[in-house]
Amino acid sequence: MRTNQEYKNAALDRLHGNWAPAVLAMLALLFLVVLMLVPMELPMFIPLLIPVIICSIGGSFLFRVFLLIPLEAGAANAFRLLYENRDERVPENMFRITFSNYVHKVWGLFLMNLKIILWSLLLIVPGIIMAYAYSMTPYILDEHPEIGAWDASKRSREMMKGHKLRLFWLDLSFIGWFLLSILTLGIGFLWLIPYNEVSRVAFYNDLKAQQGEAAVME
């Protein structure tokens, strides 16, 4: 396994000359999120306020489950293709991957998030630990559609044994860029997210190289 700086250097190498499509993909995601969060005109009569709030919460949940989470997985795998194949069509690949084998991905990602939520009910720390344990699930669902939705997160957990803390430190090494992105009123995240995501892909590729493809298929 490489050092954090080596993963970040590998990410910068793949993003060199490809920042525009990476940022464009992030803008597309941001547009969809903002579109969902734009408040609807509230009714003038107070009794109608409660059903509006309920519908809004339900709509947000459905939006996240059926569109936002799959799109996030699509973006992660679009960055995987950028890293592995130098495929710079990040926005196009993001949408193509999102809706390819769509039902299987939605179900697999829903189960993954459900497991994380259930672990989080114990305490915050177990939830964070399991979020890292299941972090390879989006890649596995796309690369291996033959693997069941439930088993995909199980394979991720097995792959990440002994490596969760390493990935946590890799993410934590971006803290300076995170703070800088906040100072830019969030604009910096359009660059930070691709940088972090491609670094994670490099980490995933090292896991596969270290454990062998059979580790995912078993």
Side-chain angles (χ1 to χ4, degrees), residues 112 115-116 119 130-138 153 156-157:
M112 178 195 77
K115 291 179 183 180
I116 295 172
W119 277 100
M130 297 315 296
Y132 277 92
Y134 297 136
S135 59
M136 302 295 111
T137 305
S153 52
S156 172
R157 185 173 177 176

Side-chain angles (χ1 to χ4, degrees), residues 24-25 27-29 31-32 67 70-71 74-75 78 89-100 102 105:
L24 183 60
L27 281 171
L29 268 177
F31 173 78
L32 289 170
L67 186 59
L71 273 171
R89 299 170 299 170
V90 181
E92 176 185 339
N93 288 334
M94 178 179 72
F95 286 104
R96 177 182 59 79
I97 292 170
T98 296
F99 296 105
S100 173
Y102 175 74
K105 282 194 179 77

Side-chain angles (χ1 to χ4, degrees), residues 104-211:
H104 181 66
K105 282 194 179 77
V106 168
W107 183 229
L109 295 168
F110 174 79
L111 290 174
M112 178 195 77
N113 280 278
L114 179 61
K115 291 179 183 180
I116 295 172
I117 290 171
L118 291 176
W119 277 100
S120 299
L121 292 177
L122 299 176
L123 280 173
I124 295 297
V125 173
I128 294 173
I129 292 173
M130 297 315 296
Y132 277 92
Y134 297 136
S135 59
M136 302 295 111
T137 305
Y139 306 126
I140 295 171
L141 284 169
D142 186 59
E143 281 202 288
H144 300 283
E146 73 281 2
I147 293 178
W150 179 269
D151 288 337
S153 52
K154 181 181 176 182
R155 305 294 168 86
S156 172
R157 185 173 177 176
E158 292 168 354
M159 285 184 73
M160 288 296 289
K161 284 181 180 177
H163 299 286
K164 294 183 286 294
L165 188 59
R166 290 181 59 87
L167 183 57
F168 172 77
W169 287 122
L170 175 60
D171 286 341
L172 193 63
S173 70
F174 288 92
I175 187 66
W177 292 106
F178 179 84
L179 295 174
L180 183 61
S181 296
I182 292 176
L183 292 176
T184 61
L185 302 179
I187 296 175
F189 285 110
L190 295 175
W191 284 264
L192 174 59
I193 294 174
Y195 187 15
N196 182 221
E197 284 292 335
V198 181
S199 298
R200 277 174 155 245
V201 170
F203 187 93
Y204 170 66
N205 272 260
D206 270 13
L207 283 181
K208 289 196 298 181
Q210 182 186 69
Q211 300 176 14

